[in-house]
Amino acid sequence: PSPQQPLTDLSAAEVAQVHARQTAAYDALRAQGLGLDLTRGKPSTEQLDLSDGLLSLPSTTRDRSGADVRNYGGLQGIAELREIFADLLGIDADRIVAGGSSSLTMMRDVLVDLMLKGAVDGERPWAAEEKVTFVCPVPGYDRHFTLLSWLGIDTVTVPMLEDGPDVDAVARLVADDPSIKGMWLVPTYANPTGSVVTQEVAERLVSMPTAAPDFKILWDNAYALHHLTSAETKSADVLSLAAVAGNPHRPVVFASTSKITYAGAGVAFLAGSPETVAWYLGHLGKGSIGPDKLNQLRHAEFFGSADGVRAHMAEHRRIIAPKFAEVDRVLTERLGGTGVASWTRPEGGYFVSLDVLPGTASRVIELAARAGVALTPAGSAFPDSHDPDDQNIRLAPTFPPLADVTPAMEAVTTCVLLAATEKLTG
Ligand code: PLP
């Protein structure tokens, strides 16, 4: 039997043959003593090098308004950088805050502010409620879920589909349960599925009736500009849609240049209704007199315009698109038709989401680790790291060199087939 036949259609004897072959392949793999890593959704050194022009900027210490960027002040961030990202994100510059280097920190701040102080449209702090629950599309971003459990916020999951979260499921949940105060959403090239929220889904999410009057959509657009194809899909304009729907304060938008310039020294952005921006800045101002405007100014100079950012993103694409193509090539060649794996073909973002035979993901990850290939821990794309079907594996091909992606993915496919045949021979 060829591994390209659905393994589940084979006779017991044929499965045993495939199992024996994969066992031999796995032993050969271990003998190679690989040391490869597909866990890290971070830019490669070559990508970071694209932004080294920043290291000799800014060329001046004054921003456009004449303010000395070395000094205190300017809590909302410098206007010239907000304007560039306003153009890219389709949001008015005065509704954007440019902050420090991490949008995740802004998300944490927003959640802490909501818990301790309450929403701009809320009656009391969320912490005063008996229970707070968040809707989490899965698979999703592990750090979103960690933040919730850290704050004692309960989770309820819905499936992430190709066009965004299962919006019928979301609407049903939020309609009746006032403890459901919000949801996470990575709207464009989601981590890890690559899903893109369509205009229709976005419209329903901002207009659906919610039992909680201060329901929030934390719209984490971390990969808004990170296209892998010429399609360059535009994100839905969630703030305008929400305003039209009469729920202007529902979305809080996040983005950053972590995977545009430097992951450790970029600029993060928050956006929302004017009231949301004032609410956020009011709380932020208790702990900060102003952001790193010098870094903001050098970013504004480095890009010059929104088109400067677009051209820069094309350079990233040139580096990473071949890695994603290689992941898909190896998966297709080795697992296509086997019936024990399906995977995403993202048009952007940083991840491929691989689903293996239910009940075998943790075994695949264990086998790969023993063969010297590090994969993201099983279940990490689910709240409490619990994948109820034990089938999802997040692959992150951007960091390793292309030459490492091939052997790493070949090893993964061997482990997927070995774990599947172990299970089927049970
Ligand atoms: N949001 C998502 C969906 C991510 O995947 C990541 C990083 O992997 C982040 C946020 C982190 O963003 P930042 O570096 O701006 O904190």
Side-chain angles (χ1 to χ4, degrees):
S2 123
Q4 306 304 117
Q5 278 171 266
L7 293 181
T8 43
D9 289 357
L10 302 182
S11 68
E14 287 170 327
V15 173
Q17 273 178 43
V18 178
H19 179 64
R21 207 159 60 215
Q22 294 308 324
T23 304
Y26 182 69
D27 291 342
L29 189 67
R30 283 193 69 178
Q32 287 177 39
L34 298 174
L36 303 168
D37 191 337
L38 287 174
T39 62
R40 290 172 293 182
K42 60 185 197 180
S44 62
T45 310
E46 192 185 0
Q47 287 176 270
L48 296 171
D49 289 347
L50 295 174
S51 299
D52 281 350
L54 285 171
L55 297 177
S56 46
L57 293 171
S59 62
T60 160
T61 53
R62 304 247 166 213
D63 72 6
R64 197 177 62 194
S65 74
D68 189 330
V69 296
R70 297 169 301 180
N71 221 326
Y72 279 138
L75 194 60
Q76 195 172 347
I78 66 168
E80 47 268 59
L81 187 65
R82 286 189 286 112
E83 278 171 18
I84 291 174
F85 280 84
D87 183 331
L88 295 163
L89 298 170
I91 298 173
D92 289 348
D94 57 5
R95 295 186 177 201
I96 297 181
V97 177
S101 66
S102 167
S103 62
L104 188 63
T105 302
M106 289 172 139
M107 296 175 218
R108 187 197 60 186
D109 285 351
V110 163
L111 279 171
V112 169
D113 296 343
L114 287 165
M115 290 297 277
L116 294 181
K117 298 290 171 182
V120 71
D121 49 357
E123 287 163 2
R124 56 186 161 271
W126 287 7
E129 308 284 353
E130 225 163 86
K131 181 167 123 160
V132 178
T133 308
F134 250 59
V135 178
C136 298
V138 291
Y141 177 37
D142 52 348
R143 287 176 186 272
H144 285 165
F145 306 145
T146 311
L147 266 177
L148 298 179
S149 70
W150 173 66
L151 287 167
I153 296 175
D154 288 349
T155 56
V156 53
T157 60
V158 297
M160 190 67 164
L161 309 175
E162 233 172 273
D163 60 352
D166 179 341
V167 72
D168 291 325
V170 178
R172 255 194 319 272
L173 285 166
V174 300
D176 301 323
D177 183 349
S179 91
I180 301 186
K181 288 290 200 181
M183 70 181 293
W184 283 115
L185 193 51
V186 183
T188 301
Y189 309 135
N191 173 355
T193 59
S195 314
V196 179
V197 172
T198 59
Q199 180 84 3
E200 294 71 34
V201 168
E203 257 168 19
R204 280 201 61 197
L205 291 172
V206 295
S207 59
M208 65 192 175
T210 59
D214 51 354
F215 182 84
K216 295 283 164 267
I217 300 173
L218 300 188
W219 182 270
D220 177 6
N221 214 348
Y223 301 103
L225 311 170
H226 303 57
H227 312 293
L228 286 168
T229 76
S230 55
E232 306 212 347
T233 308
K234 251 187 139 80
S235 301
D237 177 4
V238 71
L239 293 180
S240 301
L241 292 173
V244 168
N247 295 310
H249 314 310
R250 186 175 289 185
V252 186
V253 174
F254 304 91
S256 79
T257 72
S258 287
K259 282 144 200 144
I260 297 176
T261 55
Y262 294 152
V267 180
F269 302 95
L270 172 145
S273 67
E275 293 84 349
T276 299
V277 168
W279 170 89
Y280 174 75
L281 291 176
H283 297 309
L284 181 71
K286 304 296 181 292
S288 173
I289 306 167
D292 181 349
K293 296 183 295 301
L294 204 139
N295 191 33
Q296 295 181 1
L297 182 59
R298 65 179 181 161
H299 274 77
E301 280 192 15
F302 179 65
F303 290 125
S305 66
D307 276 339
V309 179
R310 292 187 185 103
H312 187 79
M313 293 315 290
E315 290 297 297
H316 282 290
R317 176 180 155 196
R318 180 182 57 73
I319 296 169
I320 66 176
K323 298 180 184 182
F324 282 85
E326 186 61 5
V327 168
D328 187 53
R329 184 192 68 77
V330 176
L331 287 171
T332 304
E333 273 181 29
R334 299 201 167 205
L335 298 180
T338 62
V340 296
S342 59
W343 58 93
T344 55
R345 293 189 178 84
E347 296 200 336
Y350 262 53
F351 304 99
V352 172
S353 180
L354 170 66
D355 279 336
V356 296
L357 192 65
T360 67
S362 31
R363 177 67 177 151
V364 170
I365 290 162
E366 179 192 340
L367 286 168
R370 281 202 214 143
V373 178
L375 297 176
T376 310
S380 61
F382 294 78
D384 303 319
S385 296
H386 177 65
D387 173 359
D389 301 313
D390 189 24
Q391 67 170 358
N392 185 252
I393 298 173
R394 187 185 85 170
L395 303 171
T398 58
F399 188 73
L402 181 57
D404 284 356
V405 172
T406 311
M409 284 310 302
E410 287 173 355
V412 168
T413 59
T414 298
C415 297
V416 169
L417 290 171
L418 180 56
T421 53
E422 277 176 3
K423 179 137 188 116
L424 293 171
T425 53

